[in-house]
Amino acid sequence: MEYLSNDKILVVDLAKGDVEEEELSEELVAERIGGAGVNAHLYGKYADDDPIVLGVGLLTGSMYPASAASVLTAKSPVTGKLCHCPVTLKVGIEIKYAGFDYIVIKGRSDKPVYLWIHDGVADIADAADVWGKDVWETTDAWRKGVGDDLLQTMVIGPAGEKGLDCAQVCCNYWTGPDRFGIGKLFGQRNLKGMAFRGMGLLEAAEPEDFVDEAFELLEAVKDNDFMSKKGLGPICAALGETDAEEWLSPVVHRHSADYFTPYATNTFAFIDEDPATVTETAKPEPGVLISDIPALLAFKKLGLSALDAAKAMQACARQGVDPLAAATASGKAGKTAIDEILAQVAATTEPAAMEGNGVFSPWCPRKPIFGDFGASDTDAWWERRQAVAAIFGIQPVFAVMCPQLTEESMISLSNIGGELELDPETLDAVIGDIAG
Amino acid sequence: MGIKIDALKCTNCMACEMACGYHRDDGFAFLSACIVPYRAREKKDYFGVLLKEEDSLVVARPEGTEINRIGEEADPDKEADASAKPMLLREACDLCEDMKYGPMCVKICPVDAISVEE
């Protein structure tokens, strides 16, 4: 595949300690498009090894708005199904710019390792020094090791190493969409995580036409009323949690966005620093980046202040525990004091209850945010919207916020950029295959 | 005429870096961009934007914009951003003079944090 791609699939055998490369054929892209579509194909190809597959969307890292996401595909220990978990922030695009489109991980290493992917080179590296360390210590160690604070990581903490169903694969320092226990799968394989860095270049077949259409789309996106808002508070309000924004406000520092995502879907809460601080704080670890709306609201429902909820979210991020699982476990055990809840984070084992069909992550709110997509069956609409996002590489929360990011526009830009002839029937077939 | 950056409006999405990289390399890339969100203080949630101009390096911080003249000795009491080093080697902003959209970073910024200052 010449365009929008590195033309490379990496196959990692952790048991043998070797890596191989395959070409990404244009025929495969024409049939399976990208992201979860190709991931599911590769899972089937290597099904005897029950692999973990990481893939980029066809539009990931392009000038299509919100093309931020990659996707992890694996047989979930929580649902028993092949699930597709978004990889967000700036980690999703770094995978593509580090030189690979798809990474198939099979086998189990006999010692702790991590994958180090940089500028088209893949190494299986020793992780003995970080095994037993938490998510923050691990990302810090890997960044320090290569002298690059922009290294992007996917990491498990103690929960993943222990093989718990509530274990997440975290992005850099933060919890994210993994409700599926993929962190457990990493731990079972002695895979501490992956690190990515690269300065690649992706060519488009018709770059000027691509940019013209992408800018036209961006202008339409910017017309939305929600563009005057930022962060999790307004999202909570739009979902009917009208008092959440005021509840959260005492800890809000700033809001940030995943790659080229027009709405900032992440809110940073300061815990031991004044949230009004605009200069660089001297505190090395002042708070936590929050993207998980259901988990945040679950801690709120336990009666926590926003400050205590942020403390709980930070503890989950360090341990690599799904914060919704920790909030659920705390509620079941009747724990409402923050010290008890912090103790519960490290003691959590069970996953959160799964909403939906267990294929796409309910970390993303399961209904339209702000806008009206005119859906008659919201559940079916949400599953399809998540499938489309996972195929093309669109930030999943923005996908349920912005009606202008249509399937037609994703197909059109893919055809212009990739010299392809995709059509709605192909997309329907891929969605039908991956959506469970 | 120059580029003006409001670092408090910025959401650190990197779209400006991509659009600038496209202007330089005719593809999707970040390698040669002269405008770069700095995001090395991730755990502190401290981010802004760097811009390489012909004679200066503009550092748009949340607390205000700082303009460092290139070639002058840096303040030894101030820790430099590691990302400033590769920036100094890149081509300076040319306001995308050959692009029909004008400065691409201004055109793409979804939150209008970047503008042209006459």
Side-chain angles (χ1 to χ4, degrees):
Chain A
M1 177 70 184
E2 187 176 354
Y3 299 112
L4 303 178
S5 156
N6 296 288
D7 195 24
K8 281 208 274 195
I9 299 169
L10 180 72
V11 181
V12 179
D13 189 331
L14 293 175
K16 290 181 182 164
D18 64 23
V19 297
E20 291 178 3
E21 289 179 16
E22 298 174 7
E23 281 183 11
L24 174 65
S25 75
E26 201 163 310
E27 292 73 29
L28 181 57
V29 175
E31 187 185 343
R32 307 289 308 189
I33 305 179
V38 174
N39 278 6
H41 165 83
L42 291 170
Y43 182 88
K45 182 176 174 181
Y46 295 96
D48 290 348
D49 295 298
D50 188 23
I52 300 165
V53 185
L54 175 63
V56 301
L58 185 52
L59 294 170
T60 300
S62 72
M63 283 168 74
Y64 187 93
S67 57
S70 288
V71 59
L72 261 175
T73 295
K75 180 76 72 71
S76 165
V78 174
T79 67
K81 292 181 179 180
L82 200 63
C83 66
H84 306 289
C85 179
V87 179
T88 55
L89 306 178
K90 281 88 178 178
V91 183
I93 62 163
E94 197 73 35
I95 298 164
K96 206 170 200 177
Y97 285 94
F100 293 93
D101 299 300
Y102 297 93
I103 301 173
V104 179
I105 302 163
K106 55 184 193 172
R108 177 185 183 277
S109 172
D110 58 8
K111 59 179 185 183
V113 293
Y114 73 104
L115 294 183
W116 168 215
I117 312 285
H118 52 109
D119 290 309
V121 177
D123 294 316
I124 301 175
D126 184 66
D129 60 331
V130 288
W131 198 259
K133 304 282 189 191
D134 71 25
V135 168
W136 291 25
E137 292 167 327
T138 303
T139 290
D140 281 341
W142 289 347
R143 286 182 171 181
K144 192 175 176 191
V146 296
D148 188 344
D149 284 333
L150 302 187
L151 189 81
Q152 301 295 296
T153 66
M154 295 166 62
V155 187
I156 60 166
E161 292 181 14
K162 289 177 199 159
L164 304 177
D165 282 344
C166 65
Q168 282 201 338
V169 175
C170 295
C171 283
N172 294 344
Y173 301 104
W174 319 115
T175 63
D178 184 7
R179 294 264 194 273
F180 301 109
I182 302 177
K184 173 181 182 174
L185 300 181
F186 275 42
Q188 286 175 333
R189 289 156 205 238
N190 269 331
L191 179 64
K192 183 67 175 173
M194 307 186 207
F196 303 91
R197 192 73 177 116
M199 284 290 180
L201 182 141
L202 304 170
E203 293 193 47
E206 300 290 347
E208 287 185 25
D209 292 347
F210 190 108
V211 171
D212 286 346
E213 199 163 316
F215 277 167
E216 201 174 306
L217 184 56
L218 179 62
E219 291 306 313
V221 168
K222 286 171 73 172
D223 274 344
N224 283 295
D225 290 341
F226 64 68
M227 287 301 295
S228 63
K229 306 173 195 291
K230 281 182 182 178
L232 299 187
I235 296 179
C236 291
L239 294 170
E241 298 286 340
T242 48
D243 62 341
E245 186 164 14
E246 193 181 337
W247 169 79
L248 187 61
S249 61
V251 296
V252 170
H253 180 233
R254 294 181 75 183
H255 311 289
S256 59
D258 294 2
Y259 166 72
F260 191 19
T261 300
Y263 187 93
T265 60
N266 311 298
T267 289
F268 205 102
F270 268 7
I271 294 169
D272 41 339
E273 179 59 281
D274 178 2
T277 303
V278 289
T279 53
E280 182 180 352
T281 173
K283 302 269 174 68
E285 294 173 344
V288 62
L289 185 75
I290 303 171
S291 67
D292 192 332
I293 296 157
L296 184 68
L297 293 174
F299 281 121
K300 177 176 177 285
K301 286 193 176 83
L302 293 178
L304 296 190
S305 67
L307 179 64
D308 284 346
K311 287 179 184 172
M313 300 288 281
Q314 189 189 54
C316 289
R318 295 195 76 125
Q319 295 291 315
V321 168
D322 176 359
L324 184 60
T328 305
S330 297
K332 278 183 184 167
K335 293 176 178 171
T336 53
I338 184 59
D339 289 344
E340 292 177 330
I341 289 171
L342 292 176
Q344 181 63 54
V345 169
T348 300
T349 57
E350 297 297 314
M354 180 62 64
E355 282 185 273
N357 71 6
V359 174
F360 301 108
S361 175
W363 158 89
C364 175
R366 286 178 48 81
K367 53 186 178 183
I369 304 169
F370 302 126
D372 175 12
F373 286 74
S376 54
D377 179 341
T378 303
D379 286 345
W381 167 84
W382 184 87
E383 301 284 351
R384 183 177 178 100
R385 200 70 183 145
Q386 294 300 298
V388 169
I391 291 166
F392 289 100
I394 309 305
Q395 209 282 351
V397 178
F398 196 71
V400 299
M401 189 182 290
C402 185
Q404 289 82 7
L405 300 191
T406 60
E407 294 175 12
E408 292 73 23
S409 71
M410 295 177 207
I411 290 172
S412 174
L413 269 291
S414 296
N415 288 341
I416 292 169
E419 204 171 45
L420 296 164
E421 295 178 357
L422 302 176
D423 56 32
E425 290 72 32
T426 309
L427 180 58
D428 283 344
V430 176
I431 292 170
D433 185 66
I434 67 169
Chain B
M1 197 165 85
I3 298 293
K4 187 181 171 193
I5 301 157
D6 183 342
L8 271 178
K9 263 191 179 179
C10 172
T11 58
N12 202 25
C13 81
M14 296 173 64
C16 54
E17 187 175 349
M18 162 57 66
C20 186
Y22 170 80
H23 161 54
R24 300 288 180 194
D25 292 327
D26 297 326
F28 301 135
F30 299 98
L31 184 62
S32 312
C34 66
I35 187 165
V36 175
Y38 63 88
R39 50 196 175 97
R41 315 287 210 279
E42 184 173 347
K43 266 196 293 186
K44 294 183 173 188
D45 194 38
Y46 184 71
F47 55 86
V49 181
L50 290 172
L51 171 70
K52 164 84 183 292
E53 293 182 326
E54 199 63 53
D55 302 316
S56 55
L57 184 67
V58 178
V59 186
R61 303 179 186 277
E63 64 269 36
T65 297
E66 180 183 307
I67 298 174
N68 300 305
R69 305 297 288 181
I70 294 171
E72 286 178 11
E73 203 169 327
D75 182 346
D77 296 332
K78 243 181 200 171
E79 190 189 347
D81 276 297
S83 51
K85 290 169 193 164
M87 281 298 288
L88 292 175
L89 302 174
R90 297 183 185 190
E91 284 190 46
C93 175
D94 61 1
L95 294 168
C96 295
E97 55 193 4
D98 61 338
M99 305 298 282
K100 68 181 178 186
Y101 292 107
M104 293 289 277
C105 56
V106 176
K107 178 72 182 170
I108 203 169
C109 180
V111 293
D112 297 330
I114 310 172
S115 56
V116 176
E117 196 174 37
E118 296 296 337

